[in-house]
Amino acid sequence: MAYYKRNIDHQLEIWRKASVHKPLLIRGARQVGKSTAVRQLGKSFKHYIEINLEKQPDLHQFFPDNIDVKRTCQLLSVSTGIPVIPGETLLFIDEIQSCQNAIRALRYFREDYPELHVIAAGSLLEFALEDLPSFAVGRIRSFYLYPFSFDDFLSAQGLDALIEFKSQAVKEVIPLPESIHNQLKDQLRTFYLVGGMPEAVSTWISEQDFLACSRIHNDILDTYQQDFSKYKKRVSPDLLRQVLRSVALQAGKKFVFAEASREVPAVSVKECLRLLTLAGLITPVKHTAANGLPLGAEENEKFVKYLFLDLGLMQTMLSLPANDILLASDVDFVNKGSASEMFAGLELLKAYDCFVKPEMFYWQNTDKSTIGEIDYLTVINGHIIPVEVKAGTQGKMQSLYNFMPKHKSAFGIRTSLENVSSYVHHDCPVRVVPIYCLSNSL
């Protein structure tokens, strides 16, 4: 499979060139491109060593309890026939979750061999880390990886000029030419169906076939469901499948436990949600009162929405007809099955600092006498910024207008299929951002 450059490549390159580089632990769901990105980075080193502790269990012996990491590197060099030279060699430890001693050893690479570039990754890594809650705190750097963003998708097709053009339009608040606006809307419709899983993107580029992409999605979903038996033994794989599907069905809404299953207690559904979050398949979007920073200081655990890992996977899981996206009017397209709210949340998630574990928030008026909700809250330059996903130019914005003065927002973001613009409503500045430009607005 061809490698397509991603925004993360730049961040990995910064890590490579830094005079001080902690061991890097890449964290993310299965098949989002962790190993592929590291191999691409490895091409910029003179020497590259990759070991897989799941496929090569005999290498576990190189990570004893009382480890000497320099001796471990000598043994790996002899085993692979590749020299380990600080500054010239990248050591990649894949499927590191298979060996807890190897996870613990990462701290010693920082302490005893800091000049060597070391990266580790693994499937279901979060489950292993949960059993080592204080491992190597401050001595390693986590790197959070997700499927392709919309900009990554455009770049994979050689459309980097479009990315630059739309980014500049948002920065300067200049409407895009109608032809480019329409081209980007067409690309967005395609992305809703293809999604950002690397194999699906590669398949789309080579075959231009939505059905072929859907088959890839089903293969990936099958792999995830096969993994369910590897999760903690407290929850049945069948219930995990049921809850994952319910997350897709409840996209864009406060998650209701009873809609996931009326036959099992809520505590079991809650455990499923926790495990699916650990696996990286879903991301919680928590309610916050948003009276100040940090947003998490006033989160309300009773109100949580969930993002599905990938929009393409979600569309395939729900067997949604492609024509519902391809042939829908602009208003229906943005309103279709909460997919646009899901897309917006995922774009925000992917745009955040990849070296910091992201937290997602929304706001809802909990006073039953008044209805109001803001789809997402983000922080820009120290200000709480509300983000509303709207179907068309006539959508009500009362929640946004009520929220901004009370929470001292510098501006609000309205995102839809409208072109770039801005306006002021009763002293509340609002930036109108096409949904395909949302990541460029941060």
Side-chain angles (χ1 to χ4, degrees), residues 273-391:
L273 291 168
R274 189 184 73 84
L275 295 175
L276 292 168
T277 300
L278 277 178
L281 302 189
I282 63 176
T283 299
V285 183
K286 304 172 185 177
H287 174 274
T288 175
N291 291 312
L293 297 176
L295 290 171
E298 294 182 289
E299 69 180 56
N300 185 340
E301 294 183 353
K302 294 181 180 179
F303 295 83
V304 183
K305 302 189 291 188
Y306 286 91
L307 296 176
F308 203 91
L309 170 66
D310 178 70
L311 188 53
L313 287 178
M314 189 182 86
Q315 305 274 53
T316 294
M317 171 179 272
L318 298 179
S319 300
L320 299 177
N323 282 346
D324 281 1
I325 296 297
L326 298 175
L327 302 181
S329 68
D330 283 0
V331 171
D332 287 343
F333 168 48
V334 173
N335 241 1
K336 186 64 65 176
S338 298
S340 291
E341 185 176 333
M342 183 71 64
F343 170 82
L346 291 172
E347 285 291 287
L348 292 172
L349 184 69
K350 296 167 189 176
Y352 291 153
D353 185 349
C354 57
F355 292 107
V356 178
K357 186 173 183 178
E359 291 186 289
M360 300 290 293
F361 296 98
Y362 80 106
W363 176 85
Q364 180 176 335
N365 193 335
T366 54
D367 181 355
K368 294 183 179 180
S369 64
T370 308
I371 299 174
E373 181 175 323
I374 302 294
D375 294 320
Y376 298 102
L377 299 177
T378 190
V379 178
I380 300 177
N381 297 327
H383 294 282
I384 300 171
I385 305 300
V387 179
E388 275 282 76
V389 182
K390 288 298 178 184

Side-chain angles (χ1 to χ4, degrees), residues 37-338:
V38 178
R39 290 173 191 139
Q40 182 68 17
L41 179 68
K43 294 178 180 179
S44 60
F45 287 81
K46 187 174 181 179
H47 306 292
Y48 173 69
I49 295 178
E50 178 176 335
I51 61 173
N52 186 309
L53 294 179
E54 187 173 73
K55 295 180 179 178
Q56 300 168 284
D58 55 308
L59 296 183
H60 290 203
Q61 63 185 307
F62 294 169
F63 298 89
D65 291 337
N66 299 314
I67 191 170
D68 178 340
V69 291
K70 291 188 176 180
R71 174 160 175 75
T72 293
C73 289
Q74 290 173 350
L75 293 171
L76 289 173
S77 180
V78 171
S79 176
T80 61
I82 301 171
V84 175
I85 303 172
E88 297 183 4
T89 302
L90 172 60
L91 171 60
F92 177 37
I93 308 171
D94 204 3
E95 302 298 354
I96 194 171
Q97 82 287 343
S98 300
C99 178
Q100 285 201 349
N101 272 0
I103 299 175
R104 294 188 186 96
L106 291 177
R107 64 175 293 173
Y108 298 110
F109 280 103
R110 169 64 179 137
E111 293 173 358
D112 302 332
Y113 211 177
E115 61 270 30
L116 183 68
H117 289 82
V118 180
I119 297 180
S123 305
L124 305 182
L125 176 60
E126 301 302 319
F127 292 96
L129 297 181
E130 191 180 39
D131 295 330
L132 298 167
S134 61
F135 87 104
V137 174
R139 295 178 177 84
I140 67 163
R141 175 162 291 169
S142 290
F143 185 98
Y144 296 90
L145 184 59
Y146 303 94
F148 279 43
S149 66
F150 182 59
D151 281 1
D152 288 335
F153 179 67
L154 294 176
S155 180
Q157 298 173 83
L159 300 174
D160 295 271
L162 270 183
I163 299 171
E164 180 60 31
F165 204 88
K166 71 187 183 75
S167 178
Q168 196 67 22
V170 171
K171 182 179 179 181
E172 298 180 3
V173 197
I174 299 174
L176 289 154
E178 200 63 23
S179 61
I180 292 179
H181 181 51
N182 289 333
Q183 183 182 1
L184 283 163
K185 287 193 291 185
D186 288 343
Q187 285 289 339
L188 185 65
R189 290 175 190 263
T190 299
F191 187 72
Y192 271 42
L193 297 172
V194 175
M197 299 303 287
E199 188 177 0
V201 172
S202 181
T203 298
W204 172 253
I205 291 171
S206 61
E207 300 184 32
Q208 301 283 296
D209 184 342
F210 289 119
L211 183 58
C213 293
S214 182
R215 293 191 186 107
I216 296 298
H217 294 154
N218 279 317
D219 291 344
I220 294 171
L221 289 167
D222 285 346
T223 300
Y224 289 156
Q225 293 181 43
Q226 289 166 14
D227 279 343
F228 288 169
S229 62
K230 302 176 185 177
Y231 291 13
K232 308 291 184 179
K233 302 298 183 182
R234 296 188 292 273
V235 177
S236 77
D238 286 343
L239 184 56
L240 283 163
R241 280 188 282 271
Q242 191 173 337
V243 172
L244 182 62
R245 182 174 180 81
S246 187
V247 168
L249 289 168
Q250 296 190 54
K253 300 184 295 183
K254 171 184 173 291
F255 189 85
V256 178
F257 284 42
E259 290 186 22
S261 177
R262 298 183 183 278
E263 300 172 356
V264 300
V267 66
S268 296
V269 175
K270 187 174 183 179
E271 177 65 1
C272 285
L273 291 168
R274 189 184 73 84
L275 295 175
L276 292 168
T277 300
L278 277 178
L281 302 189
I282 63 176
T283 299
V285 183
K286 304 172 185 177
H287 174 274
T288 175
N291 291 312
L293 297 176
L295 290 171
E298 294 182 289
E299 69 180 56
N300 185 340
E301 294 183 353
K302 294 181 180 179
F303 295 83
V304 183
K305 302 189 291 188
Y306 286 91
L307 296 176
F308 203 91
L309 170 66
D310 178 70
L311 188 53
L313 287 178
M314 189 182 86
Q315 305 274 53
T316 294
M317 171 179 272
L318 298 179
S319 300
L320 299 177
N323 282 346
D324 281 1
I325 296 297
L326 298 175
L327 302 181
S329 68
D330 283 0
V331 171
D332 287 343
F333 168 48
V334 173
N335 241 1
K336 186 64 65 176
S338 298

